[in-house]
Amino acid sequence: MKSSFGQRFLVVYSGVLTAVFAVTVLSGFVGTTTKKTTLDELTVQRINVVEPDGTLRMVISNKATEPGLIIKSKEHPHPTRSSAGILFYNDEGTENGGLMFDGKVGKDGQGESSGHLSFDEYEQDQAFVAEYGQKGGKRYARLVFADNPDMPMSKVVDFTNSISQLPADEQSKRKAEFMARNHYKVKPRMVISRLPDESVMLGLNDTEGRPRIRMQVAPDGTPSLQMLDDKGKVISQMPTSSAR
């Protein structure tokens, strides 16, 4: 009887200790998620900032862990992005802007650098871009204001995914047909540039993205102002002596 009682006592005692330990650990875990923490230094590869319901609002990442294109919390491969930076997301978990930087010594032994800040339209691409680039001894900087198609980017992504198993040339053909059929075109409206040839330029375009006014200072300091028709032909220019 004593032996049986002792065994039962040990079983109950162990169970109580386990329960107390579990409650303590879980209580501590819950407590730490609601406390503010102050650190002198934090080293990470990626930080995801989310709303209380888990909706993604911002990602800070290195090049290796950067996310793809995220639309309404669903991630898709990004065709070109490859740099460290910060990406921002709207209330629905869709990308709507970013800040990217890169830099290294290129294969030619010359320095390369780039910076990019953009603001996106709702479910669309960049409406405002500020960027800088340096490569092969050439440098450029520009501000771009653009109108984007009314079609949501998600429809383009869905279509691209639907033809992803086709040969590359067939994919290109189908995508070009899709873009033409849906009048899918990004239309730059104003561009302010420092060009690689060391000239500077202000370009104003019409609602179809066609250049209509071009103000420029050439590398040698020569200024010019051109008016163009909807075919890109110069119809008026100052100074008139250099009109073509």
Side-chain angles (χ1 to χ4, degrees):
M1 292 293 293
K2 291 183 178 179
S3 176
S4 177
F5 175 80
Q7 290 177 355
R8 288 199 300 273
F9 176 80
L10 289 175
V11 170
V12 173
Y13 182 71
S14 298
V16 170
L17 284 181
T18 301
V20 171
F21 176 77
V23 170
T24 301
V25 170
L26 291 175
S27 297
F29 179 77
V30 171
T32 57
T33 61
T34 59
K35 291 181 179 179
K36 294 182 179 180
T37 302
T38 301
L39 300 173
D40 292 329
E41 185 173 331
L42 180 65
T43 301
V44 299
Q45 294 194 49
R46 175 168 162 170
I47 296 175
N48 299 330
V49 178
V50 301
E51 296 289 356
D53 65 358
T55 301
L56 187 64
R57 296 309 303 268
M58 181 171 69
V59 173
I60 305 173
S61 73
N62 62 12
K63 184 176 180 178
T65 62
E66 65 173 358
L69 174 62
I70 297 178
I71 301 174
K72 293 188 176 179
S73 300
K74 184 177 180 180
E75 187 168 356
H76 308 270
H78 196 285
T80 59
R81 187 157 54 212
S82 179
S83 58
I86 306 174
L87 293 171
F88 302 95
Y89 301 85
N90 65 17
D91 292 355
E92 300 172 350
T94 298
E95 184 178 328
N96 68 342
L99 177 63
M100 302 288 178
F101 291 96
D102 204 358
K104 61 184 177 182
V105 174
K107 294 180 180 179
D108 58 2
Q110 299 191 64
E112 298 180 3
S113 181
S114 66
H116 174 102
L117 171 65
S118 63
F119 300 84
D120 299 348
E121 292 184 12
Y122 177 73
E123 284 199 14
Q124 249 303 329
D125 211 344
Q126 305 153 356
F128 171 75
V129 181
E131 60 185 10
Y132 168 79
Q134 175 185 354
K135 187 174 182 180
K138 302 290 186 179
R139 293 173 291 171
Y140 74 88
R142 65 188 174 201
L143 296 177
V144 180
F145 302 78
D147 292 340
N148 289 289
D150 293 329
M151 177 184 291
M153 181 73 72
S154 56
K155 291 191 175 182
V156 180
V157 172
D158 290 341
F159 176 77
T160 301
N161 291 338
S162 72
I163 62 174
S164 61
Q165 301 304 313
L166 297 175
D169 56 345
E170 183 65 18
Q171 286 188 45
S172 298
K173 178 183 175 182
R174 294 281 190 93
K175 195 167 185 179
E177 292 172 348
F178 175 86
M179 298 296 189
R181 184 169 62 252
N182 292 283
H183 307 288
Y184 193 93
K185 179 184 178 183
V186 177
K187 302 166 184 176
R189 299 301 310 279
M190 182 169 73
V191 181
I192 306 172
S193 302
R194 189 278 191 195
L195 302 171
D197 66 359
E198 298 186 355
S199 64
V200 290
M201 186 270 292
L202 167 63
L204 302 177
N205 305 336
D206 62 21
T207 56
E208 292 301 313
R210 296 172 298 207
R212 302 308 295 266
I213 297 176
R214 186 162 54 212
M215 183 185 300
Q216 189 164 355
V217 177
D220 64 1
T222 303
S224 65
L225 175 62
Q226 297 178 328
M227 309 294 180
L228 304 95
D229 64 16
D230 58 4
K231 302 295 190 298
K233 180 182 177 180
V234 177
I235 56 177
S236 178
Q237 178 165 313
M238 296 177 60
T240 56
S241 60
S242 60
R244 291 190 286 270

